[in-house]
Amino acid sequence: MIIAIDGPAASGKGTVAKRIGLHYGLPHLDTGALYRAVARDTLARGGDLADPAAASQAASQLDVETLSDPSLRTAGIGEAASVVARHQDVRSVLLAYQRTFAHGRAGAVIDGRDIGTVICPDADVKLFVTASPEVRAQRRYLELCTQGIEIEEEAVLIDIRNRDERDRDRQASPLRQAEDAVLLDTTNLDIDAAFRAAIDVIEAAVGQAGQAG
Ligand code: CDP
């Protein structure tokens, strides 16, 4: 079973995706980490994030063993990731890895921006997880606080709005809800409630597929 989960920054999709993976015993891929790592590596080589050649070279030499590096979670790297993510060449280099991961024997839970639309248009279940910008900024602010990162909540909101705009307005695989994705608005849901709502959607989809087959 392939479960595709997309949504804007700090919508809760990553946490929900991780819990769904544990629940069904499916491997989980956070594709945002791929773009974050490409941004990190481009900067480490002294490259320009806006230069497609520099960023796609970093993408082609990416070491996926480094994706859980906690330094990837900073606000600066999130912003940098959305700059390299605009380059079609970078996206093309990362596509094969994501598809191979998705089509592993057990299936997968994959979260990102273009999973339901581009990476896995054939996913068994597609969710589009969102929340109001203010609620997403508050969640990300609290997450950064627990990591000891000092930042104003207002600055986090500005970052989130900028990143949403860049992700929605780009030409290459923009952030959008797939036509057959179910919208999950978590503005008024805590993480447990969001997880249960996601499970309900998945169970309904699996049940329908079973009836059809
Ligand atoms: O965790 P958060 O939602 O803040 O961001 P993320 O999922 O780690 O993604 C960081 C950035 O990578 C996004 O703002 C996008 O620009 C880019 N990204 C993308 O273009 N396509 C994906 N499938 C995943 C992330």
Side-chain angles (χ1 to χ4, degrees), residues 6-14 30-33 35-36 72-73 77-79 81-83 85-86 91 98 111-115 119 140 143 160 163-164 166-167 170 172-173:
D6 291 303
S11 56
K13 64 187 184 311
D30 162 14
T31 63
Y35 294 92
R36 286 173 182 263
L72 293 182
R73 297 306 311 166
I77 289 291
E79 180 76 14
S82 72
V83 178
R86 284 189 308 200
R91 308 198 72 86
Q98 295 173 82
D111 76 80
R113 301 290 187 289
D114 60 341
I115 310 304
I119 305 294
R140 182 52 50 89
E143 188 185 324
I160 277 184
R163 209 138 61 84
D164 283 356
R166 196 176 287 144
D167 288 345
R170 69 180 175 220
S173 309

Side-chain angles (χ1 to χ4, degrees), residues 116-158:
T117 50
V118 176
I119 305 294
C120 299
D122 56 346
D124 300 284
V125 188
K126 296 181 188 177
L127 280 163
F128 192 83
V129 181
T130 190
S132 73
E134 291 76 15
V135 164
R136 291 189 283 123
Q138 191 187 35
R139 287 179 189 156
R140 182 52 50 89
Y141 168 71
L142 293 174
E143 188 185 324
L144 293 171
C145 286
T146 58
Q147 293 168 11
I149 295 169
E150 279 186 37
I151 191 163
E152 298 279 325
E153 192 172 329
E154 184 59 27
V156 179
L157 179 59
I158 292 170

Side-chain angles (χ1 to χ4, degrees), residues 6 125-129 177-185 201 205:
D6 291 303
V125 188
K126 296 181 188 177
L127 280 163
F128 192 83
V129 181
Q177 182 179 345
E179 274 174 23
D180 51 351
V182 176
L183 180 68
L184 181 57
D185 186 335
V201 171

